[in-house]
Amino acid sequence: STQSTGMNKKSIETAVEEIKSKLPKKKSVGILGSTSFFSKITQPICTELGHVLSKRSDLILITGGMPGTAEAVGRSFYKCRKASGQSLDVYHILPVFETKWDYGTTFLYGSDMAERREILGRLCDVYIVLEGGPGTAHETEVAKKAGGILVPVTCTGGVAAGMFNAPTMSKPKDVDDSDWNLLSDKNLS
């Protein structure tokens, strides 16, 4: 269900198409999760995730522009891309009243965070979920309905572990069981 206050479904879809037209034509990975760290293992996982993803020149990274998991992954990705001389390809989606980030490209769309979540949840091919509360649950619901692939790092807890009435995030058919099971290993970080 659309939880936004001002934009209707058509205007949200228009915003999504407008943003997509401004992005490089590459696979997109969205980062969904908590705005602060609740588990001691999450920040190191986020930093390593940004580093690993930065090596994939065929993708762009999209965040909800918030501190916490999105910033940790985003800054790590950006730093590694910059150091290697690759295109930076980090994008943030924030409501129109927010301030642009000091790294990457910030798009200001939506009148509030609910609308921003509706937009972000329709933008990416794949979403990585780290921790997360009710806002992240909303984003995952939107992403799942829009056909996005959800990859929960379940060992971080929160929505990634199924809390807050999060939608079921099932293993994609082309992912090996042993790889999928690593996402819940709290000793892996």
Side-chain angles (χ1 to χ4, degrees):
S1 64
T2 302
Q3 295 182 8
S4 60
T5 55
M7 297 174 85
N8 61 33
K9 187 175 180 182
K10 185 172 174 29
S11 60
I12 287 171
E13 289 170 1
T14 300
V16 168
E17 290 309 311
E18 193 173 309
I19 294 167
K20 282 183 176 182
S21 74
K22 297 175 183 180
L23 295 171
K25 304 298 181 234
K26 297 180 178 181
K27 294 220 181 294
S28 55
V29 174
I31 303 299
L32 307 179
S34 298
T35 57
S36 57
F37 298 107
F38 294 97
S39 170
K40 66 181 184 197
I41 66 171
T42 303
Q43 189 164 10
I45 288 171
C46 289
T47 301
E48 182 63 18
L49 181 60
H51 176 76
V52 169
L53 291 174
S54 75
K55 295 177 181 180
R56 294 282 311 264
S57 61
D58 62 332
L59 64 81
I60 62 173
L61 188 73
I62 301 177
T63 80
M66 299 303 292
T69 59
E71 182 181 11
V73 175
R75 285 197 185 277
S76 174
F77 182 96
Y78 182 88
K79 179 181 171 189
C80 292
R81 282 278 181 98
K82 191 170 185 176
S84 69
Q86 296 182 68
S87 76
L88 302 174
D89 289 336
V90 178
Y91 302 90
H92 314 288
I93 312 301
L94 281 167
V96 295
F97 58 85
E98 290 286 348
T99 304
K100 293 184 177 193
W101 277 95
D102 61 344
Y103 73 102
T105 301
T106 303
F107 294 113
L108 301 175
Y109 281 86
S111 63
D112 58 24
M113 291 306 284
E115 288 179 359
R116 194 273 293 149
R117 290 191 298 269
E118 289 283 337
I119 293 166
L120 178 61
R122 290 171 167 82
L123 276 176
C124 300
D125 300 307
V126 174
Y127 293 88
I128 299 173
V129 186
L130 300 135
E131 295 187 353
T136 303
H138 177 208
E139 288 167 332
T140 57
E141 178 184 314
V142 172
K144 186 171 184 173
K145 285 180 182 172
I149 297 169
L150 296 166
V151 180
V153 183
T154 54
C155 66
T156 62
V159 169
M163 294 175 63
F164 302 101
N165 296 313
T168 302
M169 296 178 248
S170 304
K171 178 183 80 63
K173 63 183 180 307
D174 54 346
V175 174
D176 186 69
D177 285 343
S178 62
D179 291 338
W180 188 257
N181 292 335
L182 287 175
L183 298 170
S184 61
D185 187 346
K186 291 186 179 198
N187 298 315
L188 192 62
S189 68

